[in-house]
Amino acid sequence: MLPSFTYASDVIPPTDVIDLPHECCDCAEFGLDCAANPHCKCRKRNVQERSPWASSQEGLLRKDIINTAGLLIPSKKIFECGPGCACSVGRCGLKTTQRGINVPIGVKWYKRKGWGVFARRFIPENTFVFLYGGEILSGKQKGTKSFQAASEREAERNDGHDATTFCIFAADVTEDKRKPFACDGRYVANAARLVNHSCDANLSMVKVYRAGLSWSTLGFIARRDIEVDEELTWKYTDKKQMQDDGVACWCEKCTASGKHARL
């Protein structure tokens, strides 16, 4: 049985945070596509004042934004238009991550690993796949709901039950790094919650900031070409942390080397 959670194609914003509407743009004269407007304040926030997306229709990230490991270069951040901007989600080239799941995917049961996600078509390198859906919790909320969820998961694992994986990201999550937030996928989530770990993952996580919002979202990008029916994976943490947590890794890299039993 699939884990029980409320599905959301995007993140659920916090309830106790004030938005910043003065940061939003009004680019109606450019056909509501801010990526084509050199004067758009949202586009100007990106590196070299260009759209971070080489193709907004395909969701292809510019190659000069990520490094050879498939990770967002620290000095470069993805800025998009926000919900308060005049442009539309369907037409704006700076709202790529706000259109839901970008490629056809499927969910199935994997031996030893449990539920997982796989590609239903070929996914080119640098393609945006989906956001990590969940509830964005502020500092006050983070101290209650998300930690309660973490405690429940730990208790289930200690009791020998099949606890489903969910993540609490204590990301910086603000551009100025002054306000702590977390993305909690325990109660509200999407398919990203079911993506399994791999030490040789084919997805990378990037932070996406939206105009008018004081917190960021977390998107998954294909770090290499992904074949049809290939499982989608990302690297949860390093091997030492997994060893400390007593978690076994069943990814192809570890099973091939015989290192899967209690990293």
Side-chain angles (χ1 to χ4, degrees):
M1 179 182 295
L2 282 170
S4 176
F5 57 83
T6 301
Y7 180 85
S9 61
D10 205 333
V11 293
I12 306 300
T15 57
D16 59 347
V17 176
I18 299 176
D19 292 339
L20 309 171
H22 62 279
E23 292 186 356
C24 300
C25 67
D26 183 3
C27 303
E29 68 273 21
F30 280 82
L32 301 182
D33 184 3
C34 301
N37 182 1
H39 305 293
C40 173
K41 64 170 69 174
C42 296
R43 172 175 150 166
K44 285 185 175 182
R45 296 179 72 192
N46 284 290
V47 177
Q48 298 176 347
E49 300 188 357
R50 292 188 293 167
S51 168
W53 303 103
S55 171
S56 60
Q57 294 300 318
E58 296 297 327
L60 291 177
L61 190 67
R62 276 186 7 228
K63 290 187 177 181
D64 62 326
I65 282 186
I66 59 177
N67 59 25
T68 55
L71 302 174
L72 188 69
I73 297 174
S75 62
K76 299 183 179 182
K77 301 175 181 178
I78 295 177
F79 293 98
E80 289 194 327
C81 294
C85 295
C87 48
S88 69
V89 172
R91 297 178 60 185
C92 181
L94 290 184
K95 286 188 173 180
T96 297
T97 68
Q98 299 169 50
R99 300 182 186 125
I101 297 176
N102 187 46
V103 297
I105 60 173
V107 174
K108 70 178 183 179
W109 182 265
Y110 288 88
K111 185 178 181 180
R112 296 192 178 95
K113 293 190 290 186
W115 293 105
V117 182
F118 65 94
R120 287 193 176 276
R121 73 158 172 83
F122 173 76
I123 303 176
E125 179 184 4
N126 297 344
T127 300
F128 167 70
V129 179
F130 42 46
L131 290 175
Y132 186 88
E135 296 175 275
I136 300 295
L137 306 178
S138 65
K140 292 181 179 179
Q141 294 171 307
K142 192 173 67 173
T144 55
K145 192 171 185 178
S146 43
F147 278 96
Q148 177 184 353
S151 298
E152 290 174 357
R153 177 190 174 195
E154 188 66 25
E156 288 175 357
R157 188 167 67 184
N158 291 338
D159 287 342
H161 295 115
D162 181 20
T164 57
T165 300
F166 66 96
C167 297
I168 301 171
F169 292 104
D172 67 43
V173 244
T174 57
E175 182 182 347
D176 57 17
K177 299 184 180 180
R178 290 180 297 182
K179 302 172 184 176
F181 290 87
C183 184
D184 185 355
R186 172 62 178 87
Y187 302 104
V188 178
N190 61 2
R193 171 180 165 171
L194 303 177
V195 174
N196 286 312
H197 164 85
S198 174
C199 295
D200 187 25
N202 52 26
L203 297 179
S204 294
M205 181 182 291
V206 297
K207 289 181 183 177
V208 182
Y209 297 87
R210 296 177 181 176
L213 304 180
S214 56
W215 40 272
S216 71
T217 57
L218 301 163
F220 288 94
I221 308 294
R223 61 179 298 183
R224 59 169 174 77
D225 289 348
I226 300 174
E227 302 299 328
V228 178
D229 293 330
E230 182 178 349
E231 184 183 7
L232 302 181
T233 59
W234 66 282
K235 190 174 183 178
Y236 289 3
T237 185
D238 57 31
K239 290 186 177 181
K240 184 180 184 305
Q241 185 62 53
M242 293 184 72
Q243 183 179 20
D244 292 343
D245 292 342
V247 177
C249 178
W250 294 100
C251 73
E252 292 184 5
K253 181 177 181 179
C254 289
T255 53
S257 62
K259 298 179 179 180
H260 60 276
R262 298 295 177 188
L263 294 174

